[in-house]
Amino acid sequence: MEKFIINGGNKLCGRFTVQSAKNSILPLISASIIKSGKTRILRCPKINDVIVMCEIIRSLGGSYEFDGDVLLLDTEKVSSWVMPKQLTQEIRASLFTVGALICRFGYASIYMPGGCNIGERPIDIHVDGLRAIGVNVTENEERIFSGNRLLAREVTLRFPSVGATENLMMASLRAKGITVLKNCAKEPEIVDLQRYLNLIGAKISGAGTGVIKIEGGITPCKEDVEFLPSSDRIELGTVLYAAASVGGELEIESEEIKNSDFISKLFKNNACKIHNINGNIYYIGFSRPAVGFGRVATGPYPEFPTDLQPQLTACACSSVGVTAVIERVFPNRFAYVEQLRLFGARADVFANACIIEGGRLHGAKVTAGDLRGGASLIIGALSAEGESEIRNVSHVDRGYYKLEDKLSALGAKIRRERY
Ligand code: EPZ
């Protein structure tokens, strides 16, 4: 097991390069099965979830290797559509392989996927959508999806589920005619998936809006393809909330800075300066302490992202003022707050809301319980006075590549130790 030792109170200053988006890369790895050839994914972080998805590709008959930060996938020899139980149960994104397997083989078999412990994670929206286009689904310990002849339909999702949108975009490529998805997810990761699928020969439009049209029947291109995903808006937000908690000046390259409204929410309440240096490079200066954020409610994109809720909450704990966070995507996503309270945070959870009164934090020994909850504990420790210890950082490694090195390069006193 590994832990981070952090000595808090140090400003963050310097250049930060945002990795490609984890939540784009994971469905792209699934979608490469449709390509049945070579795909190179650029600026790809070797995070644990990416490795698990690549191991799933290998278990189905494909292969992968890393050349620096380029992930080379080769899915020509993928021959199985039965997902391996152990790997599938490690991450939620394994579920997003169903759509790709149905597109290529007409079949998929999967055990219930794993994923972060952030509350109930049913798959009914996936199943209902797939059944609507003619996929037969049997639900025992394994879920068997079979659909040779699929029907192009108009499908309205009861909730804009990111994964269900991605699964339906890929499965519908097997349906004759044009499938129309309504009330679907609008995240930038959906736009990335559309860009990739069109690159390999699909005809999909509307990603990023609430309506996506998929023209059935795809003959994947034969030539190798290369793809640069969008930058990771959640890693970007994580480092911005860290800097807002301790003060400092960052130079960041990311197209997300001008696109994401969570940035404006952050800046609206905080004494900070932002200006464009050139292209996608921005200067962002934070003066301590951050001011409370008032009321923030998470929701489907373009609302405030649930994946930044823990990081904002941690920043609010060392701010001046009151913050009320309402979680409307994963109502039980506040398990990390009891760990934040060990730093002396004045944060109270009521059902799907957390009320924070900012103040000074002190060092503590805490334990990460999930990916973004772990990131919030790092932010708490960075702003706490004295030394802190964060155990079980394997959760953090699922979504952040060598985060301790990136924070150290900015002046944080953080190191990794075994225990
Ligand atoms: C994706 O998960 C992301 N993961 C999550 O990021 C992110 O929090 C989530 O979207 C919401 O933005 C990846 O992309 C790998 P959903 P996904 O289906 O697709 C309910 C991170 O930290 N729901 O949009 O699984 C569900 O329980 C991770 O990087 C159903 O009820 O999320 C939740 O309440 C965590 N039935 C809501 O919808 C279903 O069939 C949103 O889930 C599917 C979902």
Side-chain angles (χ1 to χ4, degrees):
M1 301 271 270
E2 294 185 314
K3 62 185 176 183
F4 286 151
I5 307 293
I6 295 176
N7 278 287
N10 300 286
K11 285 183 184 297
L12 298 181
C13 297
R15 177 76 185 251
F16 186 89
T17 302
V18 183
Q19 66 188 28
S20 287
K22 164 180 89 78
N23 290 347
S24 286
I25 294 167
L26 299 179
L28 288 172
I29 294 172
S30 300
S32 72
I33 291 172
I34 298 169
K35 166 81 181 73
S36 83
K38 288 193 175 69
T39 295
R40 291 161 57 87
I41 298 181
L42 307 180
R43 214 186 286 174
C44 182
K46 285 194 193 77
I47 51 179
N48 291 358
D49 277 12
V50 165
I51 303 301
V52 171
M53 284 300 287
C54 290
E55 284 300 314
I56 288 175
I57 294 291
R58 180 178 283 167
S59 73
L60 297 173
S63 66
Y64 75 97
E65 60 178 325
F66 273 94
D67 176 7
D69 67 353
V70 177
L71 168 60
L72 173 61
L73 292 157
D74 189 344
T75 58
E76 187 177 6
K77 295 192 172 63
V78 168
S79 56
S80 165
W81 43 267
V82 179
M83 295 281 285
K85 182 174 183 179
Q86 194 262 323
L87 287 169
T88 301
Q89 292 181 331
E90 281 191 41
I91 59 174
R92 173 77 174 181
S94 58
L95 174 61
F96 309 167
T97 310
V98 167
L101 291 170
I102 288 173
C103 174
R104 182 161 167 181
F105 298 111
Y107 295 92
S109 166
I110 187 168
Y111 289 87
M112 269 307 270
C116 276
N117 152 27
I118 50 178
E120 267 297 290
R121 301 189 79 177
I123 67 166
D124 60 300
I125 303 173
H126 296 252
V127 171
D128 294 348
L130 291 168
R131 280 180 170 144
I133 60 171
V135 177
N136 179 40
V137 185
T138 55
E139 296 189 83
N140 303 309
E141 200 208 347
E142 271 186 281
R143 265 80 178 160
I144 314 282
F145 301 84
S146 54
N148 254 321
R149 267 181 296 286
L150 300 190
L151 319 157
R153 279 276 189 283
E154 186 173 292
V155 181
T156 301
L157 278 64
R158 72 170 173 81
F159 180 91
S161 155
V162 172
T165 300
E166 291 164 343
N167 255 336
L168 286 165
M169 284 168 75
M170 292 187 273
S172 301
L173 290 170
R174 194 180 178 92
K176 287 246 170 307
I178 294 184
T179 299
V180 180
L181 303 181
K182 291 192 166 182
N183 191 36
C184 45
K186 304 176 188 173
E187 275 72 1
E189 294 80 41
I190 304 290
V191 178
D192 272 358
L193 181 60
Q194 173 179 283
R195 271 196 308 126
Y196 173 77
L197 290 172
N198 288 344
L199 180 66
I200 66 171
K203 291 190 182 67
I204 302 176
S205 60
T209 71
V211 180
I212 297 177
K213 290 184 180 164
I214 303 104
E215 196 172 314
I218 174 173
T219 310
C221 62
K222 289 272 172 272
E223 61 275 7
D224 300 353
V225 297
E226 189 165 281
F227 189 84
L228 174 64
S230 49
S231 64
D232 194 321
R233 58 200 171 93
I234 306 303
E235 186 192 43
L236 168 64
T238 301
V239 76
L240 290 181
Y241 283 119
S245 303
V246 293
E249 298 179 298
L250 300 177
E251 198 178 281
I252 294 188
E253 181 177 359
S254 167
E255 76 280 1
E256 281 304 318
I257 290 183
K258 61 180 179 300
N259 298 345
S260 300
D261 79 335
F262 76 80
I263 301 265
S264 51
K265 262 196 187 42
L266 177 66
F267 294 134
K268 197 173 66 188
N269 292 304
N270 278 280
C272 52
K273 301 178 289 300
I274 176 171
H275 67 252
N276 180 262
I277 297 173
N278 69 46
N280 280 330
I281 302 175
Y282 289 81
Y283 163 87
I284 304 176
F286 291 95
S287 51
R288 273 289 274 146
V291 173
F293 298 92
R295 178 187 180 280
V296 177
T298 70
Y301 194 90
E303 293 179 56
F304 186 80
T306 177
D307 291 348
L308 279 175
Q309 174 262 89
Q311 298 91 315
L312 176 141
T313 300
C315 182
C317 289
S318 62
S319 70
V320 173
V322 177
T323 301
V325 181
I326 297 111
E327 174 56 63
R328 297 184 306 162
V329 179
F330 291 103
N332 300 322
R333 193 173 194 167
F334 286 114
Y336 65 91
V337 172
E338 70 176 67
Q339 295 294 309
L340 280 180
R341 289 159 62 90
L342 298 176
F343 290 117
R346 290 176 296 193
D348 296 291
V349 176
F350 307 93
N352 70 323
C354 182
I355 310 295
I356 303 109
E357 189 186 353
R360 301 175 77 84
L361 304 182
H362 55 71
K365 289 185 187 232
V366 295
T367 304
D370 67 82
L371 166 56
R372 307 302 178 185
S376 82
L377 299 181
I378 291 172
I379 292 172
L382 287 172
S383 61
E385 277 162 36
E387 182 170 283
S388 297
E389 186 178 290
I390 301 175
R391 290 182 290 274
N392 221 355
V393 293
S394 60
H395 285 290
V396 176
D397 294 337
R398 294 187 47 183
Y400 299 94
Y401 186 57
K402 294 189 176 174
L403 185 58
E404 74 275 21
D405 293 352
K406 292 176 115 175
L407 290 172
S408 296
L410 296 176
K413 297 279 176 283
I414 176 173
R415 67 180 188 276
R416 182 187 289 256
E417 284 184 4
R418 285 192 172 287
Y419 67 96

